[in-house]
Amino acid sequence: MHKNILICIILALLSPLVGGAEELSNGDLFQGACAGCHGADGAGRAQEDSALEVLPPDFSDCEFASREPDADWYAIIHDGGPVRGFDRTMPAFGDALSREEAYKILAHVRTLCVDERWPRGEFNLPRPLFTEKAFPEDETVFTASKDTGDSNTFELEFLYEKRLGPVGMFEVSVPLATTDTLSGSQSGIGDIAVGYKHTIYHDLDRGNILSVGAEVILPTGDENKSLGKGTAVLEPFIVFGKILPANMFFQAHAFAEFPVKDGFDDELGVRMALGKTWTSGGEFGRAWSPMLEVLAIRDLTSGADTKVDLVPQFQVSLNTRQHILFNIGARLPVTQTADRDAQIVAYVLWDWFDGGFFDGW
Ligand code: HEC
């Protein structure tokens, strides 16, 4: 055969593979690789008649889709459902799709939720021990704190956060405390707080999210047993989160406390956290997020001292789905150290929208 004809035939055979693949749009890629199970419209649930035992989710449902960060979805596309504790009917595409193609498909999937009010899951940054997150979240957090030194002071806090629509969140916290008093150690319920948080701005390209809110701390704890403050307190706050390069992040939280009763000073506080997330066991493995928090609070009276604490800590995901998280750290006073002990603080966080406590291990 003539050499030129042979080259022509080879080129003709290769062209649909080489030339054609480059021209495939994000939507075409989705139709080719995913629509068979997820439905042409990505709504998944329309597949109810199919042979799939586990139904694919509805990517057009913003309440579900907006909370999942691209990195988690990429992990699932590459390694299959089980990498995040989902069913193995969600296949692993491995190298069948390049990273670029997978992200093109994700770009298409992201067009299916059309309500842009929902902040993206990328903003659900690792939760510091004290700094409030800006992201409105459905989660339950159990926090334990224990004073070091001679005192027996111990506190358990139960925090419940419930999302209200795209940008709202309701929260309630119930502390149970044991304190040292002159008449011995006392235990009981502390001051219960209820609050509301509202995201007023978020921009994924810039990596910024900003929320405002207010909390009412109720005098439910017995002040004679040092379990409560003895007055209701109104606490407006503002919280900011920033996604930084190289999996780093910064979070800030400023608040004021206005006690309702006379005889208590108003207070002003700032909390900040800087951290970075690493994974162990490969790109999609367990997430480790060491953080350093700085806490500062002072009375709003002239000449008052500022109490400053440093809180080194790390958060780690406990299960495969990564919706059960553990964090432990030490609260170390750096000013006014005479009457303030260091504390060990730890929490277990359950992001319950992502599944039951025992799902996805
Ligand atoms: C063979 C059927 C099948 C194919 C093909 C398929 N999926 Fe899936 N996918 C599923 C099923 C079923 C689930 C639900 C698994 C579960 O809930 O345990 C799922 C779940 C997912 C999830 C997890 C969503 C969550 O809950 O956070 C993502 C992301 C996803 N698929 C993306 C894709 C993309 C992108 C493609 C194409 C590249 C694709 N899937 C192809 C069946 C499939």
Side-chain angles (χ1 to χ4, degrees), residues 11-178:
L11 282 180
L13 285 173
L14 285 178
S15 67
L17 298 173
V18 182
E22 273 170 17
E23 279 153 34
L24 283 182
S25 70
N26 302 350
D28 291 342
L29 282 165
F30 178 85
Q31 296 307 331
C34 322
C37 297
H38 284 273
D41 59 357
R45 304 279 174 215
Q47 301 294 91
E48 271 167 30
D49 310 332
S50 76
L52 291 176
E53 273 177 30
V54 181
L55 290 181
D58 179 357
F59 290 129
S60 67
D61 172 8
C62 299
E63 174 161 24
F64 150 72
S66 66
R67 338 179 161 228
E68 306 298 333
D70 273 353
D72 274 341
W73 276 1
Y74 175 67
I76 290 170
I77 295 169
H78 192 274
D79 272 20
V83 74
R84 286 288 176 271
F86 290 105
D87 199 79
R88 61 185 175 76
T89 35
M90 168 59 209
F93 284 83
D95 297 330
L97 291 172
S98 67
R99 178 183 286 263
E100 195 199 340
E101 285 166 334
Y103 270 90
K104 281 176 104 177
I105 293 177
L106 281 181
H108 170 74
V109 170
R110 291 300 179 188
T111 61
L112 303 176
C113 148
V114 289
D115 184 349
E116 292 187 349
R117 289 175 304 162
W118 295 81
R120 275 276 293 279
E122 275 79 354
F123 286 120
N124 193 3
L125 298 168
R127 182 185 188 275
L129 289 168
F130 296 94
T131 307
E132 170 106 10
K133 285 198 291 196
F135 189 76
E137 187 49 318
D138 284 322
E139 62 194 20
T140 298
V141 189
F142 296 94
T143 306
S145 34
K146 171 91 182 80
D147 275 16
T148 61
D150 300 335
S151 93
N152 290 314
T153 304
F154 179 72
E155 191 182 280
L156 267 182
E157 187 208 42
F158 167 79
L159 171 72
Y160 172 81
E161 297 181 333
K162 168 95 183 79
R163 195 150 177 180
L164 303 171
V167 289
M169 190 194 87
F170 162 80
E171 66 179 1
V172 54
S173 78
V174 181
L176 296 170
T178 298

Side-chain angles (χ1 to χ4, degrees), residues 125-126 128 131-134 240-241 249-253 271-273:
L125 298 168
T131 307
E132 170 106 10
K133 285 198 291 196
F240 171 70
F249 52 86
F250 172 75
Q251 304 183 65
H253 170 191
R271 298 167 180 167
M272 283 180 284

